[in-house]
């Protein structure tokens, strides 16, 4: 699995879509790299400000998913997101329409219901959402300009990777999560009670229930961590596929250019050869003529 970096996170945020799968996949990757939570929040906040208005709500959905699903593993994200949420909600609300604000209010309602943050903090966020002025409607020219920018960004050829980077990415996938036999064996060895609810009827006392509860919690942690690693591996493989495509495109371009130069060089070599041949034949014929003239001088 590739190491965490700001540039890798920026790229993943740029590719984030509003689909549930996209949000959850990136969320699992972030939770897996939770030791970098402060950097993750900083980059998330910075990229949120840069994002187009139509994508800002998705950034908050991502934060919501990370905050709620990381609680069992530790409080890092809950604590690190808190200082930037006021500014984030204010920023998104100021550039959103009424429909978007309803989605923001729904997120805050869930946080309040599940006690994600203190009530007074959530009330502060609710106040921000309700008081922010509605963004002015964009003109047709502005919308067209955004669409053109998006088209250009998606269709501009990317710089091909270095051969060393490509080899390194391939080597890193040799130790990918899908090939971790030890973890797969642990998952396969989980007791049937973890997945078969019908066996819950066999619980005879509180002690047995507590043991099973502990086993289920451990299984959930194991599966969540493994899912995070698999999600990260999936993203790494997608990135590698893009790198390979760019590398192959670059090599094809280099090959085509060399073939073109070779054709030009062969053409000039052929022209030179025929020129020399013709010149040699001319000199040969002229030489014979001179010999004949010397042996048989012309009479006047």
């Amino acid at each position: 699995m590739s190491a965490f970096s700001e540039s890798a996170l920026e790229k993943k945020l740029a590719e984030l879509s509003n689909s549930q799968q996209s949000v959850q996949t990136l969320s699992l990757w972030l939770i897996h790299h939770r030791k970098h939570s402060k950097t993750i929040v900083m980059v998330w906040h910075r990229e949120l400000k840069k994002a187009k208005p139509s994508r800002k709500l998705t950034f908050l959905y991502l934060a919501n998913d990370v905050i709620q699903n990381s609680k069992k593993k530790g409080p890092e994200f809950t604590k690190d997101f808190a200082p930037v949420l006021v500014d984030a909600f204010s920023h998104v609300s100021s550039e959103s329409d009424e429909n978007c604000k309803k989605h923001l209010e729904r997120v805050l309602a869930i946080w309040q219901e599940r006690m994600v943050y203190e009530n007074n903090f959530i009330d502060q966020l609710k106040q921000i959402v309700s008081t922010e002025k509605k963004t002015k409607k964009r003109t047709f020219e502005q919308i067209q300009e955004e669409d053109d920018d998006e088209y250009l960004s998606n269709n501009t050829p990317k710089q091909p990777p270095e051969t060393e980077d490509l080899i390194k990415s391939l080597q890193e996938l040799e130790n990918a999560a899908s090939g971790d036999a030890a973890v797969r064996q642990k998952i396969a060895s989980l007791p049937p009670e973890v997945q078969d609810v019908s066996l819950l009827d066999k619980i005879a006392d509180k002690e047995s229930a507590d043991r099973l509860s502990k086993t289920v919690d451990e299984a959930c942690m194991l599966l969540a961590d493994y899912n995070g690693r698999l999600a990260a591996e999936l993203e790494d493989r997608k990135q590698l596929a893009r790198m390979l495509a760019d590398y192959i495109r670059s090599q094809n371009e280099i090959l085509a250019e060399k073939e073109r130069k070779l054709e030009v060089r062969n053409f000039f070599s052929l022209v030179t050869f025929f020129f020399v041949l013709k010149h040699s034949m001319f000199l040969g014929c002229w030489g014979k003529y001179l010999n004949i003239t010397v042996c048989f001088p012309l009479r006047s």
Side-chain angles (χ1 to χ4, degrees), residues 4-16 26 29-30 33 36-51 55-56 59-60 62-63 77 80-81 84 87-88 91:
F4 173 84
S5 68
E6 287 191 30
S7 58
L9 176 54
E10 287 171 359
K11 184 170 181 60
K12 291 179 186 297
L13 289 172
E15 296 171 349
L16 179 67
L26 182 50
W29 187 82
L30 295 177
H33 291 290
H36 303 287
S37 59
K38 292 184 183 298
T39 303
I40 288 171
V41 172
M42 179 192 70
V43 174
W44 173 88
H45 191 209
R46 183 178 68 216
E47 296 302 309
L48 168 68
K49 296 291 189 72
K50 296 179 184 178
R55 300 187 66 242
K56 293 184 186 296
F59 273 68
L60 283 179
L62 174 64
F77 281 112
D80 293 335
F81 266 109
V84 303
D87 182 67
H91 174 73

Side-chain angles (χ1 to χ4, degrees), residues 222-264:
L222 175 65
L223 291 171
D225 184 70
Y226 191 55
N227 283 338
R229 292 175 60 198
L230 288 173
E233 179 188 340
L234 179 61
E235 291 301 313
D236 290 342
R237 289 187 181 277
K238 287 180 180 178
Q239 173 66 13
L240 178 60
R242 287 190 289 268
M243 290 173 66
L244 286 169
D246 292 336
Y247 186 80
I248 292 172
R249 173 184 56 78
S250 172
Q251 292 302 307
N252 286 336
E253 290 174 355
I254 293 172
L255 179 61
E257 179 64 18
K258 288 186 178 296
E259 287 177 344
R260 187 188 67 80
K261 290 181 178 179
L262 183 61
E263 288 176 359
V264 172

Side-chain angles (χ1 to χ4, degrees), residues 161-216:
E162 297 292 335
T163 305
E164 294 77 9
D165 295 335
L166 196 58
I167 294 173
K168 184 180 178 182
S169 296
L170 286 166
Q171 290 174 338
E172 287 172 346
L173 282 175
E174 291 179 359
N175 299 319
S178 59
D180 193 337
V183 174
R184 295 170 70 90
Q185 182 59 39
K186 285 183 181 179
I187 294 173
S189 302
L190 290 172
E193 291 83 1
V194 171
Q195 55 184 326
D196 190 350
V197 294
S198 64
L199 297 177
L200 295 177
D201 296 335
K202 296 183 179 180
I203 297 176
D205 49 39
K206 185 177 183 301
E207 185 178 348
S208 300
D210 289 341
R211 282 200 304 270
L212 179 59
S213 177
K214 183 180 179 181
T215 303
V216 169

